[in-house]
Amino acid sequence: MISILLNQDNLPYTISLCIVFVLGIVESLSLVIGASFLGLLDEWTPNDSNADAAGVSGLVGWLCINRLPLLIWLVLALLSFAIAGFAFNYLSLSWFNSLLPQSVSLSISLMLMALCCHFFGGKLAGFLPKNESLAVSVEDLNGCVGTLTTSKAVQGNPSEAVVKDDYMQQHYVLVEPESDGVEFPTGTQVVLLKRKGQVWSAAKLES
């Protein structure tokens, strides 16, 4: 068993499991001393301006990186990567009596990891409490800038956006264009204008 885990072709997946184990220990110890490692990691989550500047806001949203605490996202990504790698190598070993070439197994595992982050990450985000500021109410978000995180928004069919208030706390709100015939694709930055029930009317942020 140990020889299989330490096999060169399985080494990336073994390392991923070890990282998950270490993250669990570090988080447990940090909670004992009263400082969550999860909270520190969240400060490194890609913010809207950095993502847009790098042109990857759509990818960040698709992978649900900005919808989950970073530690939870890392555990999900590492576990799905490791499980996929071990599973395909096990099947290859059972059927062909040899492990897959590392370049092949890595490509498959990375693709499945991305799919797991997208689908399972979206499901997890629906169950986890949203990061809402205690210092600012939803009513005070008028004029704040948000970024579309899910599907495109059109008038009458709002979509979720993440908004940061003056205290850099995140709020998840529903937004739609203020004008008919306008649509906001995923990753679009918008300015909140007026709240109607649970939905905000918004305008596209002009650079």
Side-chain angles (χ1 to χ4, degrees):
M1 182 65 177
I2 298 298
S3 61
I4 294 177
L5 290 176
L6 296 181
N7 185 285
Q8 180 64 36
D9 291 322
N10 273 331
L11 200 55
Y13 316 117
T14 302
I15 293 174
S16 296
L17 287 181
C18 290
I19 293 174
V20 172
F21 182 69
V22 170
L23 286 175
I25 293 177
V26 172
E27 176 65 10
S28 299
L29 292 176
S30 64
L31 289 176
V32 170
I33 63 175
S36 174
F37 182 58
L38 185 152
L40 294 177
L41 278 178
D42 282 342
E43 296 180 2
W44 299 346
T45 302
N47 59 37
D48 303 333
S49 59
N50 290 340
D52 287 335
V56 295
S57 59
L59 180 62
V60 168
W62 193 85
L63 291 174
C64 296
I65 297 176
N66 57 353
R67 300 183 62 198
L68 290 171
L70 188 55
L71 182 59
I72 293 178
W73 186 88
L74 279 175
V75 170
L76 173 63
L78 291 170
L79 278 179
S80 57
F81 174 73
I83 291 172
F86 282 128
F88 277 97
N89 273 336
Y90 174 79
L91 292 175
S92 177
L93 192 61
S94 300
W95 293 345
F96 308 110
N97 202 30
S98 65
L99 298 176
L100 287 172
Q102 194 173 82
S103 59
V104 175
S105 67
L106 282 175
S107 299
I108 296 174
S109 299
L110 287 171
M111 181 180 66
L112 290 178
M113 180 194 76
L115 291 173
C116 285
C117 288
H118 175 66
F119 291 106
F120 292 115
K123 295 292 185 182
L124 279 174
F127 289 106
L128 293 175
K130 304 296 186 181
N131 294 327
E132 293 186 352
S133 170
L134 297 178
V136 175
S137 70
V138 176
E139 298 292 343
D140 295 327
L141 295 178
N142 188 28
C144 291
V145 175
T147 301
L148 271 290
T149 60
T150 55
S151 57
K152 69 179 180 181
V154 296
Q155 196 171 71
N157 185 25
S159 183
E160 185 183 74
V162 59
V163 180
K164 286 188 177 180
D165 60 33
D166 293 338
Y167 298 93
M168 301 306 293
Q169 297 294 317
Q170 291 182 345
H171 300 257
Y172 289 85
V173 299
L174 293 175
V175 300
E176 65 178 11
E178 63 171 338
S179 303
D180 192 19
V182 177
E183 65 178 42
F184 299 148
T186 302
T188 302
Q189 284 195 308
V190 298
V191 180
L192 303 188
L193 301 176
K194 185 178 180 181
R195 184 168 177 253
K196 300 176 182 178
Q198 299 298 319
V199 180
W200 282 87
S201 294
K204 184 176 180 180
L205 178 67
E206 300 295 339
S207 57

